[in-house]
Amino acid sequence: MKIAVIGTGFVGVVTAAVYASFGNEVVGLDIDQSKVDSLSSGKVPFHEPGLAELLAAVLETGKLHFTTSYQEAISTADVIVIAVGTPSKPDGSADLSYVLAAARSLSPFLQTGAVVVVKSTVPPGTLITVAEEIRKETTTQFELASVPEFLKEGTAVEDTLHPDRVVIGADAPEAIKRLRELHAPLQAPVIVVSANSAQMSKYAANAYLATRITFINQIANLCEHAGADIQEVIAAMGVDKRIGKHYWYPGLGYGGSCFPKDVRELAHFAETQHEVPNIFSLLSELNESRVEHVFAHWTETVGAWSDKKVAVLGLSFKPNTDDTRDAPSLQVIPWLLKQGAQVTGYDPKATSQIAKIFGEQSGLQFAENLESALEQADVILALIEWPEFLTFDFGKTKLEKTQYFLDARNQFDPKQITSHGYVYAGIARRQS
Ligand SMILES: NC(=O)c1ccc[n+]([C@@H]2O[C@H](COP(=O)([O-])OP(=O)(O)OC[C@H]3O[C@@H](n4cnc5c(N)ncnc54)[C@H](O)[C@@H]3O)[C@@H](O)[C@H]2O)c1
């Protein structure tokens, strides 16, 4: 099958490489020439485990190449996948301008019967707008479908090769047949639904996961009042098969490129449908107040932050990615600097992204490795659970002074950290 993938960002590159690995002829198209050049030479412009290897392997087969030319990518494509960004606007609605720009640009080059797939996360109803946009420029017959993406950064290649499901949102039998065929090598359950259901399933999945995070943070707040330990509560509650022990992350709230915006977009959609009040608007509000809430507690432990040397470990929004979109570091570091703390950041992969965001005047320092980040630190703030931090022996670097160990994701054993001599504080954890 001949495939064009429009937008070679995070989702687009992984999708293009995986489709090519099945023997399809794939063209990755982007308006960003530097991205196209980089990918053409086998360089992935971001960190994602396994992707560079997969890209190198498919480039070698000649089944994948990259271009900035719509004509080149679209004119022979049987399936065209739109995977451009859909950030949320200040009012919370999805900014569809990139999707619609892609629809306009592809339309003059469509071949008859091509299937145009919207993979970007978009609200229900968007395919109608996309169809109108395409028809402005062409009378060629085409089909439309929605195939939302469920991959997770950090495990994107694995998720795309072994998805829990493939959701095909389409009505036209030919579109469904072609998309089933395209995804057959994955041997994953295929769920065929309407386009609106497919789009809603994506928002619902992310809003549900964001709800679990917000829910457990709310319970953690109550644990602090009750003298209960949130990890003990999770252990006891998670045995219930209806609930499960998985996916509980008490901490500073959800971040990243998807949850915050998808929840805001769903809340906006709910409001436009006059579904008020709704849980989704409240989720964003509660999530945004997490850093302030947790730091109020930790300030009771640490005392004044002024002139304290703080080692911030983990600058990306989660482990195994250099993506810093809505990362906790973006809120935490300015707060610490404002309190007069001397902040040194360390991340295995995301340092350069954060350095660009903060600039040289911010006062934020960076360490080249974990041990140098810890030098003279009064406070160790473990923001993100990179494997390197979890396996590190913090006993080895303990200094002869009071040192605080703040565990923002409850990933460390309080007993072990305390046994090294640190003053430990996590999220709603018992001290003894
Ligand atoms: N990143 C994730 O983990 C993830 C997971 C699931 C779904 N999604 C959804 O997938 C979509 C893409 O997300 P992403 O993180 O890959 O975005 P991204 O910002 O990393 O990449 C988007 C790419 O599209 C390109 N682009 C913009 N306009 C274009 C145009 N008119 N023609 C060609 N290229 C154009 C940009 O240059 C960029 O390279 C979004 O809707 C997002 O919500 C993302």
Side-chain angles (χ1 to χ4, degrees), residues 16-36:
V18 167
Y19 287 158
S21 74
F22 299 152
N24 298 295
E25 281 178 42
V26 184
V27 183
L29 163 66
D30 207 290
I31 46 174
D32 183 338
Q33 183 71 54
S34 64
K35 228 173 232 186
V36 166

Side-chain angles (χ1 to χ4, degrees), residues 9-11 30 35 70 84 86 121 149 153 257-258 261 325:
F10 202 86
V11 168
D30 207 290
K35 228 173 232 186
Y70 267 88
V84 298
T86 47
T121 304
E149 182 54 64
E153 292 185 15
S257 63
C258 291
K261 90 175 175 67
R325 290 179 275 188

Side-chain angles (χ1 to χ4, degrees), residues 5-13 29-32 35 46 70 82-87 97-103 105 119-122 148-153 156 202 206 257-258 261-262 265 317-318 323 325:
V5 177
I6 305 179
T8 58
F10 202 86
V11 168
V13 183
L29 163 66
D30 207 290
I31 46 174
D32 183 338
K35 228 173 232 186
F46 49 85
Y70 267 88
I82 300 180
V84 298
T86 47
S97 60
Y98 302 99
V99 172
L100 299 181
S105 306
K119 186 168 266 303
S120 304
T121 304
V122 295
E149 182 54 64
F150 294 92
L151 63 75
K152 304 181 287 303
E153 292 185 15
K202 171 64 193 173
N206 276 359
S257 63
C258 291
K261 90 175 175 67
D262 290 354
E265 289 170 15
F317 87 90
K318 68 172 179 179
D323 196 337
R325 290 179 275 188

